[in-house]
Amino acid sequence: MGTTTRHRAVARTIAAIGVVSLVAACADNGGAGGGGDAGNYPDQNITIVVPFSAGGPTDTVTRMIADPMAKQLGGKIVIQNVEGAGGTVGAGEVARAEPDGYTVLMHHIGMSTAPALYKNLGYKPVEDFETVGLVTEVPMTIVARKDFAPATLPDLVSHVKANADKVTLANAGIGAASHLCGLLFQEAAGVKLQEVPYEGTGPALTDLVGGQVDFMCDQTTNTSGQISAGKVKAYAVTTPERVKSLPDLPTTAEAGLPQLQVSVWHGLYVPADTPEEIVQKLSEALKAALADQAVIDQMAKLGTAPVPAEDATPQAHRAHLEEQLGTWSKIIADAGVGVS
Ligand code: ASP
């Protein structure tokens, strides 16, 4: 695809989605073209594409790091929510964007599950992107509407088995972390439920609080506030250890479902062939953001933490992505989940 066509494709998406928010930054130097000139980078606004809805967990983590990254880079970062199809629409847009460092993707574990779940994905996670660095690994929680009958995780399993035709399970589309966790739950419980897809778990959680859907899995970065406020019922956290900020919530292993273990790693990407110097600048900015005390504190409140500095590198991120692609393709194949 030529440069102009690429720019047009991104512009079309931006116009179609229309959810743009500016993140504060120190210098107003946006607008002037800089292309792939690594020495002057950045000399125009950088867009971080979030492939899920505004207000959800991927968006939340992106907004935490965007401002300190922009400060380190001496530029402006704009966040663009390009939702749809479990994060694959936004990821596809970035794969096809100009490799000049001005279009960046924040994605999560879904980068490693999508190839096993989609027949015509339209991009290759390893070949079509440069990895910038890992960001954070977030526990998931199993949460339900406040007045949902089951009181504990074993109760939830019995309830969904007895009411499989009535219970609704929300997720953020095929390949999303919530979808994946929901699959593992159904597999562990030996049941097939009616799934309700959203474009992100931000709106899914709103519906859960409103009682329109019964339950879902989602990152602590989205559910912590509603759990602490008693607006949703929480059954368990899906990591081997309890989460410090939610100390009363048992782990799935403690609550009798040890097979259900998943945490959601996030990473930053740019299109393949982005100059190495630009990838390095972004990676250094990411490292600086993850060392920022305000970011550390915000993440801790929401049940997570930045990755260690050595993992916020292109090399560590690439190795993790490759390992996760292998792991999840096997789990998904073994679970016999259909490819759409
Ligand atoms: N938590 C969502 C997921 O299920 C994504 C999001 O809305 O950020 O993958």
Side-chain angles (χ1 to χ4, degrees), residues 172-197:
I174 292 172
S178 46
H179 171 247
L180 192 65
C181 179
L183 285 179
L184 297 176
F185 174 87
Q186 292 175 82
E187 171 94 348
V191 70
K192 179 82 199 92
L193 300 172
Q194 192 191 327
E195 296 181 40
V196 184

Side-chain angles (χ1 to χ4, degrees), residues 52-53 56-59 108 140 172 176-179 199-202 217-219:
F52 296 103
S53 310
T58 311
D59 184 73
H108 65 19
M140 297 196 95
S178 46
H179 171 247
E199 293 197 327
T201 44
C217 294
D218 199 21
Q219 287 105 297

